[in-house]
Amino acid sequence: MADVAFSICVYLGSRPGNNPSFTEAATAVGHWIGRHGGQLVYGGGRSGLMGTVAEATRVAGGRVVGIIPQALVDKELANHFCDELHIVQTMHERKAMMAERSDAFVALPGGIGTLEELFEVWTWRQLGYHDKPIGLLDTDGYYGGMLGFLRHAVHGGLMGEWQMGLIRVGTEPDALLTALVQDAGANASAIPLRSVI
C-alpha cells in the first residue's frame, strides 16, 4: 500500500440528491483529499454522491478505499476503480473496517444510512471507543433542521453541550477538512476499534 498523509472516512448519499450544491461539495471533498496526498475511505459504491467523491479523489491523485457488503454490491454498483475494494459480509463489518482505516470522519448530505453512520461513530466517540475527530459538512443548510433538533435535545436535558462539542460543523469543505486532519494529528490513538465496537 502506498504511503498516505491521512485517511478520511466520508459518509454521504448513494443518490445525487436534487441540489447541485451536494455534488459540488462531494467533488470538493474528493479533490481536497487527493490534492493533499490523502486517502478516502467510504462505502464502496459508484452511484450518487458516493461515486462523485470517489472519482474526484481518484482524479486528484488520492487513494480510494471502498468497503461494501456483498448484499449491496449489485444494489449500490460497487466501484471497481477503487485502489482497494473490500467486499464484506455484514454492515457491522463494513462500518468497523471503515472506522479502523480512518483518522477522521466527515458526513456530507445523505439519507438514513449516512445519518446512522454519523450517529454511530459519534456515539462511539462519546463512549470513549475512539477519539478520532468527526465533522459535519452542512452544505446549503442541509443539516440545519437536524442541528436545531439536537440543540432542542440539549435544551431538554437529554444531551449535554459536551456531546455537541464532539463534532465539528462547517460549511466550507477546505476549512472543515483542514481542521479535521489537524485534530486527527493531535488525537492520534491506537485503540483497536474492532475489539470494542
Side-chain angles (χ1 to χ4, degrees):
M1 185 183 86
D3 289 335
V4 293
F6 56 83
S7 190
I8 295 185
C9 181
V10 179
Y11 303 127
L12 72 177
S14 60
R15 299 179 182 182
N18 298 326
N19 187 336
S21 295
F22 301 159
T23 297
E24 291 168 11
T27 300
V29 166
H31 283 168
W32 190 94
I33 293 171
R35 285 197 321 269
H36 290 85
Q39 176 172 269
L40 167 71
V41 177
Y42 85 119
R46 64 180 174 92
S47 60
L49 299 178
M50 292 174 71
T52 297
V53 74
E55 181 62 10
T57 301
R58 187 184 69 80
V59 167
R63 290 192 86 254
V64 178
V65 176
I67 304 166
I68 187 168
Q70 181 66 56
L72 295 182
V73 167
D74 294 331
K75 184 181 289 188
E76 291 188 0
L77 300 173
N79 182 2
H80 295 283
F81 291 104
C82 293
D83 294 283
E84 296 179 42
L85 180 63
H86 299 273
I87 299 175
V88 298
Q89 294 307 305
T90 67
M91 286 293 288
H92 184 81
E93 187 180 358
R94 177 198 218 180
K95 292 184 292 183
M97 184 179 290
M98 289 170 75
E100 285 183 334
R101 294 293 302 270
S102 305
D103 302 313
F105 309 90
V106 64
L108 275 62
I112 58 174
T114 300
L115 294 173
E116 189 266 342
E117 289 167 324
L118 168 65
F119 279 99
E120 184 169 62
V121 78
W122 188 3
T123 300
W124 292 345
R125 190 175 188 197
Q126 165 191 277
L127 295 172
Y129 290 168
H130 73 86
D131 196 26
K132 299 179 181 184
I134 304 166
L136 183 66
L137 186 60
D138 188 22
T139 302
D140 216 10
Y142 181 77
Y143 283 113
M146 183 187 82
L147 290 167
F149 172 76
L150 291 169
R151 287 190 288 271
H152 174 69
V154 171
H155 181 74
L158 295 173
M159 282 182 63
E161 288 287 355
W162 70 273
Q163 291 166 298
M164 292 298 294
L166 296 177
I167 61 167
R168 182 185 287 272
V169 179
T171 58
E172 296 298 327
D174 287 15
L176 181 60
L177 292 167
T178 297
L180 291 173
V181 169
Q182 290 173 346
D183 290 348
N187 296 324
S189 171
I191 296 173
L193 280 172
R194 197 174 304 218
S195 68
V196 293
I197 57 178

